[in-house]
Amino acid sequence: EAQVTQNPRYLITVTGKKLTVTCSQNMNHEYMSWYRQDPGLGLRQIYYSMNVEVTDKGDVPEGYKVSRKEKRNFPLILESPSPNQTSLYFCATQGQVGSPLHFGNGTRLTVT
Amino acid sequence: AQKVTQAQTEISVVEKEDVTLDCVYETRDTTYYLFWYKQPPSGELVFLIRRNSFDEQNEISGRYSWNFQKSTSSFNFTITASQVVDSAVYFCALSEGESSGDKLTFGTGTRLAVRP
């Protein structure tokens, strides 16, 4: 079954404590991306990756890092989380250009 | 730059009513893709439909239908005979394809509440 797996589903942390949200896909897709969802703002792209070792900034990259060392994994790293990064995060993959994104189930992050 | 506007923040209807969710988009590209996603209370994003810019045919899938009009840059979504299970947040999204690295630009979403 085609899957995008994010972990954890829920995370509560404190300001400044580094964290990583993992994302893994089994569809052999080259394109992966991260979005954050905030009330009244919809979903906004944080980072994306067109292939292994190729990453680029989206619309709201500040405070985030990503890496793409292998095709199936695309972790999102918050080196020093702050309360304004409290949000619902989605990882997504895509096959061909213009095809629908496949989303993970989301990670709800709270930074106190 | 691409932009998607969903002017309706929240809509409340009674079961069995028809409801239309509006979506207006902006893009300078001639090749682009439009999507609708559903986000039920459980939080996951469920893909509903994709349309490319060269296909203006309307589409019907059961109680769902979509009206794509390039002349007004709109891609509206109608639910006929709404049901409580249709209660969700609905997002319209736009991708300019290769020119933007396949980034999806989302509208701010419309929260639909269907009351029994």
Side-chain angles (χ1 to χ4, degrees), chain B residues 34-88:
Chain B
L34 294 162
F35 303 83
W36 277 94
Y37 283 85
K38 174 182 180 180
Q39 187 176 45
S42 50
E44 74 272 22
L45 287 161
V46 179
F47 165 72
L48 295 178
I49 189 171
R50 181 194 80 154
R51 260 288 173 269
N52 73 51
S53 52
F54 300 109
D55 181 4
E56 280 195 77
Q57 276 195 335
N58 292 331
E59 177 144 347
I60 298 175
S61 176
R63 295 182 297 105
Y64 295 173
S65 62
W66 291 268
N67 182 358
F68 176 28
Q69 293 203 342
K70 287 176 76 171
S71 60
T72 55
S73 297
S74 65
F75 187 42
N76 297 337
F77 173 30
T78 297
I79 302 174
T80 302
S82 59
Q83 300 176 1
V84 172
V85 293
D86 296 326
S87 297

Short mmCIF file of all heavy atoms in Angstrom, two decimals, chain B residues 34-88:
data_model
loop_
_atom_site.label_atom_id
_atom_site.label_comp_id
_atom_site.label_asym_id
_atom_site.label_seq_id
_atom_site.Cartn_x
_atom_site.Cartn_y
_atom_site.Cartn_z
N LEU B 34 -5.24 22.31 -10.95
CA LEU B 34 -6.09 22.71 -9.83
C LEU B 34 -6.54 21.47 -9.08
O LEU B 34 -6.80 20.42 -9.69
CB LEU B 34 -7.31 23.48 -10.34
CG LEU B 34 -6.99 24.83 -10.98
CD1 LEU B 34 -8.15 25.31 -11.82
CD2 LEU B 34 -6.66 25.85 -9.89
N PHE B 35 -6.63 21.61 -7.77
CA PHE B 35 -6.97 20.47 -6.92
C PHE B 35 -7.98 20.90 -5.86
O PHE B 35 -8.05 22.06 -5.47
CB PHE B 35 -5.72 19.97 -6.17
CG PHE B 35 -4.57 19.57 -7.06
CD1 PHE B 35 -3.69 20.52 -7.55
CD2 PHE B 35 -4.36 18.24 -7.36
CE1 PHE B 35 -2.62 20.16 -8.36
CE2 PHE B 35 -3.29 17.87 -8.17
CZ PHE B 35 -2.43 18.83 -8.67
N TRP B 36 -8.72 19.91 -5.40
CA TRP B 36 -9.50 20.06 -4.17
C TRP B 36 -9.10 18.93 -3.23
O TRP B 36 -8.97 17.77 -3.63
CB TRP B 36 -11.00 19.98 -4.44
CG TRP B 36 -11.61 21.28 -4.89
CD1 TRP B 36 -11.82 21.71 -6.16
CD2 TRP B 36 -12.10 22.32 -4.04
NE1 TRP B 36 -12.39 22.95 -6.16
CE2 TRP B 36 -12.59 23.35 -4.87
CE3 TRP B 36 -12.18 22.49 -2.65
CZ2 TRP B 36 -13.15 24.52 -4.38
CZ3 TRP B 36 -12.74 23.65 -2.15
CH2 TRP B 36 -13.22 24.65 -3.01
N TYR B 37 -8.92 19.33 -1.95
CA TYR B 37 -8.64 18.38 -0.89
C TYR B 37 -9.67 18.56 0.22
O TYR B 37 -10.13 19.66 0.48
CB TYR B 37 -7.24 18.60 -0.30
CG TYR B 37 -6.11 18.09 -1.14
CD1 TYR B 37 -5.58 18.86 -2.16
CD2 TYR B 37 -5.56 16.83 -0.91
CE1 TYR B 37 -4.52 18.38 -2.94
CE2 TYR B 37 -4.51 16.35 -1.68
CZ TYR B 37 -4.00 17.13 -2.69
OH TYR B 37 -2.96 16.66 -3.45
N LYS B 38 -9.97 17.45 0.87
CA LYS B 38 -10.88 17.47 2.02
C LYS B 38 -10.09 17.14 3.28
O LYS B 38 -9.25 16.23 3.26
CB LYS B 38 -11.98 16.41 1.82
CG LYS B 38 -12.91 16.22 3.00
CD LYS B 38 -13.93 15.12 2.70
CE LYS B 38 -14.88 14.89 3.88
NZ LYS B 38 -15.88 13.83 3.59
N GLN B 39 -10.35 17.88 4.34
CA GLN B 39 -9.71 17.60 5.62
C GLN B 39 -10.81 17.35 6.65
O GLN B 39 -11.35 18.29 7.23
CB GLN B 39 -8.80 18.74 6.06
CG GLN B 39 -8.00 18.41 7.31
CD GLN B 39 -7.03 19.51 7.69
OE1 GLN B 39 -7.38 20.69 7.69
NE2 GLN B 39 -5.80 19.14 8.02
N PRO B 40 -11.13 16.10 6.90
CA PRO B 40 -12.15 15.79 7.91
C PRO B 40 -11.63 16.10 9.31
O PRO B 40 -10.44 16.40 9.48
CB PRO B 40 -12.39 14.29 7.71
CG PRO B 40 -11.15 13.78 7.06
CD PRO B 40 -10.58 14.91 6.27
N PRO B 41 -12.50 16.01 10.31
CA PRO B 41 -12.07 16.32 11.69
C PRO B 41 -10.87 15.51 12.16
O PRO B 41 -10.13 15.95 13.03
CB PRO B 41 -13.32 16.02 12.50
CG PRO B 41 -14.45 16.25 11.55
CD PRO B 41 -13.95 15.79 10.22
N SER B 42 -10.66 14.35 11.59
CA SER B 42 -9.51 13.53 11.99
C SER B 42 -8.18 14.13 11.52
O SER B 42 -7.12 13.72 12.00
CB SER B 42 -9.66 12.11 11.45
OG SER B 42 -9.96 12.15 10.06
N GLY B 43 -8.23 15.07 10.61
CA GLY B 43 -7.03 15.86 10.28
C GLY B 43 -6.27 15.49 9.02
O GLY B 43 -5.46 16.29 8.56
N GLU B 44 -6.49 14.32 8.47
CA GLU B 44 -5.71 13.97 7.26
C GLU B 44 -6.23 14.73 6.06
O GLU B 44 -7.34 15.26 6.05
CB GLU B 44 -5.77 12.46 7.02
CG GLU B 44 -7.08 11.94 6.48
CD GLU B 44 -8.07 11.57 7.57
OE1 GLU B 44 -7.94 12.09 8.71
OE2 GLU B 44 -8.98 10.78 7.27
N LEU B 45 -5.43 14.81 5.04
CA LEU B 45 -5.80 15.50 3.80
C LEU B 45 -6.15 14.46 2.75
O LEU B 45 -5.33 13.61 2.39
CB LEU B 45 -4.65 16.37 3.31
CG LEU B 45 -4.42 17.63 4.14
CD1 LEU B 45 -3.03 18.18 3.92
CD2 LEU B 45 -5.47 18.69 3.81
N VAL B 46 -7.37 14.55 2.25
CA VAL B 46 -7.87 13.57 1.29
C VAL B 46 -8.02 14.23 -0.06
O VAL B 46 -8.73 15.22 -0.21
CB VAL B 46 -9.24 13.01 1.77
CG1 VAL B 46 -9.77 12.02 0.76
CG2 VAL B 46 -9.12 12.40 3.15
N PHE B 47 -7.36 13.68 -1.05
CA PHE B 47 -7.44 14.21 -2.40
C PHE B 47 -8.81 13.92 -2.99
O PHE B 47 -9.32 12.81 -2.90
CB PHE B 47 -6.35 13.55 -3.25
CG PHE B 47 -6.53 13.71 -4.74
CD1 PHE B 47 -6.32 14.94 -5.35
CD2 PHE B 47 -6.90 12.63 -5.52
CE1 PHE B 47 -6.47 15.08 -6.71
CE2 PHE B 47 -7.06 12.77 -6.88
CZ PHE B 47 -6.85 13.99 -7.48
N LEU B 48 -9.42 14.95 -3.62
CA LEU B 48 -10.73 14.78 -4.24
C LEU B 48 -10.66 14.79 -5.75
O LEU B 48 -11.24 13.94 -6.42
CB LEU B 48 -11.69 15.87 -3.75
CG LEU B 48 -12.04 15.87 -2.27
CD1 LEU B 48 -12.95 17.06 -1.96
CD2 LEU B 48 -12.69 14.56 -1.87
N ILE B 49 -9.99 15.81 -6.31
CA ILE B 49 -10.00 15.94 -7.76
C ILE B 49 -8.80 16.76 -8.22
O ILE B 49 -8.28 17.59 -7.49
CB ILE B 49 -11.29 16.61 -8.28
CG1 ILE B 49 -11.37 16.52 -9.79
CG2 ILE B 49 -11.37 18.05 -7.80
CD1 ILE B 49 -12.69 16.95 -10.37
N ARG B 50 -8.37 16.50 -9.44
CA ARG B 50 -7.36 17.30 -10.13
C ARG B 50 -7.89 17.69 -11.49
O ARG B 50 -8.55 16.89 -12.17
CB ARG B 50 -6.07 16.50 -10.32
CG ARG B 50 -4.99 17.28 -11.02
CD ARG B 50 -3.89 16.39 -11.49
NE ARG B 50 -4.24 15.70 -12.73
CZ ARG B 50 -3.35 15.27 -13.61
NH1 ARG B 50 -2.07 15.44 -13.38
NH2 ARG B 50 -3.73 14.63 -14.68
N ARG B 51 -7.60 18.92 -11.89
CA ARG B 51 -7.95 19.40 -13.23
C ARG B 51 -6.72 20.07 -13.81
O ARG B 51 -6.06 20.84 -13.12
CB ARG B 51 -9.07 20.43 -13.15
CG ARG B 51 -10.44 19.91 -13.46
CD ARG B 51 -10.55 19.62 -14.92
NE ARG B 51 -11.80 18.97 -15.26
CZ ARG B 51 -11.93 17.65 -15.30
NH1 ARG B 51 -10.95 16.86 -14.97
NH2 ARG B 51 -13.06 17.11 -15.65
N ASN B 52 -6.42 19.82 -15.08
CA ASN B 52 -5.35 20.60 -15.71
C ASN B 52 -5.97 21.75 -16.51
O ASN B 52 -7.16 21.72 -16.85
CB ASN B 52 -4.42 19.72 -16.55
CG ASN B 52 -5.07 19.25 -17.84
OD1 ASN B 52 -5.60 20.07 -18.60
ND2 ASN B 52 -5.01 17.97 -18.10
N SER B 53 -5.16 22.70 -16.84
CA SER B 53 -5.65 23.95 -17.42
C SER B 53 -6.22 23.78 -18.81
O SER B 53 -6.89 24.66 -19.33
CB SER B 53 -4.54 24.99 -17.44
OG SER B 53 -3.37 24.46 -18.05
N PHE B 54 -5.95 22.64 -19.43
CA PHE B 54 -6.44 22.44 -20.79
C PHE B 54 -7.75 21.65 -20.82
O PHE B 54 -8.29 21.39 -21.90
CB PHE B 54 -5.38 21.70 -21.61
CG PHE B 54 -4.10 22.47 -21.71
CD1 PHE B 54 -2.96 22.06 -21.03
CD2 PHE B 54 -4.03 23.65 -22.44
CE1 PHE B 54 -1.79 22.79 -21.10
CE2 PHE B 54 -2.86 24.38 -22.53
CZ PHE B 54 -1.73 23.95 -21.84
N ASP B 55 -8.24 21.30 -19.67
CA ASP B 55 -9.44 20.48 -19.62
C ASP B 55 -10.51 21.22 -18.83
O ASP B 55 -10.53 21.17 -17.61
CB ASP B 55 -9.13 19.13 -18.96
CG ASP B 55 -10.34 18.23 -18.91
OD1 ASP B 55 -11.41 18.62 -19.44
OD2 ASP B 55 -10.23 17.14 -18.35
N GLU B 56 -11.40 21.90 -19.54
CA GLU B 56 -12.43 22.69 -18.87
C GLU B 56 -13.72 21.94 -18.67
O GLU B 56 -14.72 22.50 -18.25
CB GLU B 56 -12.72 23.97 -19.66
CG GLU B 56 -11.69 25.05 -19.43
CD GLU B 56 -12.18 26.41 -19.91
OE1 GLU B 56 -13.00 27.02 -19.21
OE2 GLU B 56 -11.75 26.83 -21.00
N GLN B 57 -13.70 20.67 -18.97
CA GLN B 57 -14.93 19.89 -18.77
C GLN B 57 -15.28 19.83 -17.29
O GLN B 57 -14.41 19.62 -16.45
CB GLN B 57 -14.72 18.46 -19.28
CG GLN B 57 -14.95 18.31 -20.76
CD GLN B 57 -15.08 16.84 -21.13
OE1 GLN B 57 -14.59 15.97 -20.45
NE2 GLN B 57 -15.75 16.58 -22.23
N ASN B 58 -16.55 20.02 -17.01
CA ASN B 58 -16.98 19.84 -15.64
C ASN B 58 -16.98 18.36 -15.29
O ASN B 58 -17.06 17.50 -16.17
CB ASN B 58 -18.37 20.43 -15.44
CG ASN B 58 -18.35 21.94 -15.56
OD1 ASN B 58 -17.35 22.58 -15.26
ND2 ASN B 58 -19.44 22.51 -16.02
N GLU B 59 -16.89 18.09 -14.02
CA GLU B 59 -16.82 16.69 -13.59
C GLU B 59 -17.82 16.43 -12.48
O GLU B 59 -18.06 17.27 -11.63
CB GLU B 59 -15.40 16.36 -13.10
CG GLU B 59 -15.27 14.94 -12.57
CD GLU B 59 -13.93 14.33 -12.90
OE1 GLU B 59 -13.20 14.88 -13.73
OE2 GLU B 59 -13.62 13.28 -12.30
N ILE B 60 -18.39 15.25 -12.54
CA ILE B 60 -19.33 14.82 -11.51
C ILE B 60 -18.86 13.48 -10.98
O ILE B 60 -18.50 12.58 -11.75
CB ILE B 60 -20.76 14.68 -12.08
CG1 ILE B 60 -21.26 16.03 -12.60
CG2 ILE B 60 -21.70 14.13 -11.01
CD1 ILE B 60 -22.60 15.97 -13.29
N SER B 61 -18.86 13.39 -9.66
CA SER B 61 -18.54 12.12 -9.02
C SER B 61 -19.53 11.92 -7.89
O SER B 61 -19.39 12.48 -6.80
CB SER B 61 -17.10 12.15 -8.49
OG SER B 61 -16.80 10.96 -7.78
N GLY B 62 -20.54 11.16 -8.13
CA GLY B 62 -21.57 10.95 -7.12
C GLY B 62 -22.27 12.25 -6.77
O GLY B 62 -22.81 12.94 -7.64
N ARG B 63 -22.21 12.64 -5.51
CA ARG B 63 -22.86 13.88 -5.09
C ARG B 63 -21.97 15.10 -5.29
O ARG B 63 -22.37 16.22 -5.02
CB ARG B 63 -23.24 13.76 -3.61
CG ARG B 63 -24.27 12.70 -3.31
CD ARG B 63 -24.65 12.68 -1.83
NE ARG B 63 -23.52 12.34 -0.96
CZ ARG B 63 -22.87 13.22 -0.21
NH1 ARG B 63 -23.22 14.50 -0.20
NH2 ARG B 63 -21.86 12.82 0.56
N TYR B 64 -20.73 14.85 -5.71
CA TYR B 64 -19.76 15.94 -5.89
C TYR B 64 -19.69 16.36 -7.36
O TYR B 64 -19.70 15.50 -8.25
CB TYR B 64 -18.36 15.48 -5.46
CG TYR B 64 -18.17 15.17 -4.00
CD1 TYR B 64 -16.98 14.61 -3.55
CD2 TYR B 64 -19.15 15.44 -3.05
CE1 TYR B 64 -16.77 14.33 -2.21
CE2 TYR B 64 -18.96 15.16 -1.72
CZ TYR B 64 -17.76 14.60 -1.31
OH TYR B 64 -17.56 14.32 0.03
N SER B 65 -19.58 17.65 -7.58
CA SER B 65 -19.34 18.13 -8.93
C SER B 65 -18.45 19.36 -8.88
O SER B 65 -18.41 20.07 -7.88
CB SER B 65 -20.67 18.46 -9.65
OG SER B 65 -21.35 19.49 -8.98
N TRP B 66 -17.72 19.54 -9.98
CA TRP B 66 -16.77 20.64 -10.05
C TRP B 66 -16.99 21.42 -11.33
O TRP B 66 -17.17 20.84 -12.41
CB TRP B 66 -15.34 20.12 -10.01
CG TRP B 66 -14.97 19.55 -8.69
CD1 TRP B 66 -14.39 20.20 -7.65
CD2 TRP B 66 -15.16 18.20 -8.26
NE1 TRP B 66 -14.21 19.33 -6.58
CE2 TRP B 66 -14.67 18.11 -6.94
CE3 TRP B 66 -15.69 17.05 -8.84
CZ2 TRP B 66 -14.70 16.93 -6.19
CZ3 TRP B 66 -15.73 15.87 -8.11
CH2 TRP B 66 -15.24 15.82 -6.80
N ASN B 67 -16.95 22.74 -11.20
CA ASN B 67 -17.17 23.63 -12.33
C ASN B 67 -15.91 24.47 -12.54
O ASN B 67 -15.61 25.35 -11.74
CB ASN B 67 -18.39 24.53 -12.04
CG ASN B 67 -18.71 25.44 -13.20
OD1 ASN B 67 -18.02 25.45 -14.22
ND2 ASN B 67 -19.76 26.22 -13.06
N PHE B 68 -15.19 24.17 -13.61
CA PHE B 68 -13.94 24.86 -13.92
C PHE B 68 -14.22 25.88 -15.03
O PHE B 68 -14.64 25.49 -16.12
CB PHE B 68 -12.90 23.84 -14.36
CG PHE B 68 -11.58 24.42 -14.80
CD1 PHE B 68 -11.10 25.63 -14.30
CD2 PHE B 68 -10.78 23.73 -15.70
CE1 PHE B 68 -9.88 26.14 -14.71
CE2 PHE B 68 -9.55 24.24 -16.10
CZ PHE B 68 -9.11 25.43 -15.61
N GLN B 69 -13.97 27.15 -14.77
CA GLN B 69 -14.19 28.19 -15.77
C GLN B 69 -12.94 29.06 -15.86
O GLN B 69 -12.68 29.89 -14.96
CB GLN B 69 -15.40 29.04 -15.40
CG GLN B 69 -16.72 28.27 -15.45
CD GLN B 69 -17.91 29.21 -15.63
OE1 GLN B 69 -17.81 30.40 -15.39
NE2 GLN B 69 -19.04 28.65 -16.05
N LYS B 70 -12.20 28.90 -16.95
CA LYS B 70 -10.99 29.70 -17.13
C LYS B 70 -11.31 31.17 -17.29
O LYS B 70 -10.53 32.03 -16.90
CB LYS B 70 -10.20 29.18 -18.32
CG LYS B 70 -9.52 27.85 -18.06
CD LYS B 70 -8.83 27.32 -19.27
CE LYS B 70 -7.53 28.02 -19.57
NZ LYS B 70 -6.77 27.33 -20.63
N SER B 71 -12.46 31.48 -17.88
CA SER B 71 -12.81 32.88 -18.14
C SER B 71 -12.93 33.69 -16.86
O SER B 71 -12.66 34.89 -16.84
CB SER B 71 -14.12 32.96 -18.93
OG SER B 71 -15.17 32.35 -18.18
N THR B 72 -13.31 33.04 -15.79
CA THR B 72 -13.43 33.72 -14.49
C THR B 72 -12.39 33.22 -13.49
O THR B 72 -12.44 33.58 -12.31
CB THR B 72 -14.83 33.51 -13.89
OG1 THR B 72 -15.09 32.09 -13.82
CG2 THR B 72 -15.90 34.18 -14.75
N SER B 73 -11.47 32.39 -13.94
CA SER B 73 -10.42 31.82 -13.07
C SER B 73 -11.03 31.21 -11.82
O SER B 73 -10.62 31.48 -10.69
CB SER B 73 -9.40 32.90 -12.68
OG SER B 73 -8.73 33.38 -13.80
N SER B 74 -12.03 30.38 -12.03
CA SER B 74 -12.70 29.78 -10.89
C SER B 74 -12.78 28.27 -11.03
O SER B 74 -12.82 27.74 -12.15
CB SER B 74 -14.10 30.37 -10.72
OG SER B 74 -14.91 30.04 -11.83
N PHE B 75 -12.79 27.62 -9.91
CA PHE B 75 -12.87 26.15 -9.88
C PHE B 75 -13.74 25.79 -8.67
O PHE B 75 -13.25 25.41 -7.63
CB PHE B 75 -11.48 25.55 -9.77
CG PHE B 75 -11.42 24.05 -9.89
CD1 PHE B 75 -12.17 23.36 -10.82
CD2 PHE B 75 -10.58 23.32 -9.05
CE1 PHE B 75 -12.12 21.99 -10.94
CE2 PHE B 75 -10.51 21.93 -9.16
CZ PHE B 75 -11.27 21.27 -10.10
N ASN B 76 -15.05 25.92 -8.86
CA ASN B 76 -15.98 25.76 -7.74
C ASN B 76 -16.41 24.33 -7.54
O ASN B 76 -16.47 23.54 -8.49
CB ASN B 76 -17.20 26.65 -7.96
CG ASN B 76 -16.85 28.11 -7.98
OD1 ASN B 76 -15.83 28.54 -7.44
ND2 ASN B 76 -17.69 28.92 -8.62
N PHE B 77 -16.76 24.02 -6.32
CA PHE B 77 -17.06 22.66 -5.89
C PHE B 77 -18.46 22.64 -5.29
O PHE B 77 -18.75 23.40 -4.38
CB PHE B 77 -15.99 22.24 -4.87
CG PHE B 77 -16.21 20.94 -4.18
CD1 PHE B 77 -16.87 19.88 -4.78
CD2 PHE B 77 -15.70 20.74 -2.89
CE1 PHE B 77 -17.05 18.66 -4.14
CE2 PHE B 77 -15.87 19.53 -2.23
CZ PHE B 77 -16.54 18.49 -2.86
N THR B 78 -19.32 21.79 -5.82
CA THR B 78 -20.69 21.69 -5.34
C THR B 78 -20.94 20.31 -4.75
O THR B 78 -20.60 19.30 -5.37
CB THR B 78 -21.70 21.97 -6.46
OG1 THR B 78 -21.53 23.32 -6.91
CG2 THR B 78 -23.13 21.78 -5.97
N ILE B 79 -21.53 20.30 -3.58
CA ILE B 79 -21.99 19.05 -2.97
C ILE B 79 -23.51 19.06 -3.04
O ILE B 79 -24.17 19.99 -2.52
CB ILE B 79 -21.52 18.93 -1.52
CG1 ILE B 79 -19.98 18.99 -1.45
CG2 ILE B 79 -22.02 17.62 -0.91
CD1 ILE B 79 -19.44 19.01 -0.03
N THR B 80 -24.06 18.07 -3.65
CA THR B 80 -25.51 17.95 -3.78
C THR B 80 -26.04 17.06 -2.66
O THR B 80 -25.41 16.05 -2.32
CB THR B 80 -25.86 17.33 -5.15
OG1 THR B 80 -25.31 18.14 -6.17
CG2 THR B 80 -27.37 17.22 -5.33
N ALA B 81 -27.17 17.47 -2.09
CA ALA B 81 -27.78 16.67 -1.02
C ALA B 81 -26.75 16.36 0.06
O ALA B 81 -26.42 15.19 0.33
CB ALA B 81 -28.39 15.39 -1.58
N SER B 82 -26.25 17.39 0.69
CA SER B 82 -25.16 17.25 1.65
C SER B 82 -25.54 16.29 2.78
O SER B 82 -26.72 16.13 3.14
CB SER B 82 -24.79 18.62 2.22
OG SER B 82 -25.91 19.21 2.84
N GLN B 83 -24.49 15.69 3.34
CA GLN B 83 -24.66 14.77 4.46
C GLN B 83 -23.73 15.19 5.59
O GLN B 83 -22.74 15.89 5.36
CB GLN B 83 -24.32 13.34 4.01
CG GLN B 83 -25.20 12.81 2.89
CD GLN B 83 -24.77 11.44 2.43
OE1 GLN B 83 -23.83 10.83 2.96
NE2 GLN B 83 -25.48 10.90 1.44
N VAL B 84 -24.03 14.72 6.77
CA VAL B 84 -23.21 15.08 7.94
C VAL B 84 -21.75 14.68 7.72
O VAL B 84 -20.83 15.39 8.14
CB VAL B 84 -23.79 14.43 9.21
CG1 VAL B 84 -22.84 14.63 10.39
CG2 VAL B 84 -25.16 15.00 9.54
N VAL B 85 -21.53 13.59 7.02
CA VAL B 85 -20.15 13.12 6.78
C VAL B 85 -19.37 14.06 5.87
O VAL B 85 -18.15 13.94 5.74
CB VAL B 85 -20.12 11.70 6.18
CG1 VAL B 85 -20.62 10.70 7.18
CG2 VAL B 85 -20.88 11.64 4.87
N ASP B 86 -20.07 14.99 5.24
CA ASP B 86 -19.38 15.97 4.40
C ASP B 86 -18.76 17.09 5.24
O ASP B 86 -18.01 17.93 4.72
CB ASP B 86 -20.34 16.60 3.39
CG ASP B 86 -20.88 15.58 2.40
OD1 ASP B 86 -20.13 14.64 2.04
OD2 ASP B 86 -22.05 15.72 1.99
N SER B 87 -19.08 17.14 6.50
CA SER B 87 -18.52 18.17 7.38
C SER B 87 -17.00 18.03 7.42
O SER B 87 -16.46 16.99 7.79
CB SER B 87 -19.09 18.04 8.79
OG SER B 87 -20.48 18.27 8.80
N ALA B 88 -16.32 19.10 7.03
CA ALA B 88 -14.86 19.06 6.92
C ALA B 88 -14.38 20.45 6.51
O ALA B 88 -15.18 21.35 6.26
CB ALA B 88 -14.42 18.04 5.86
#
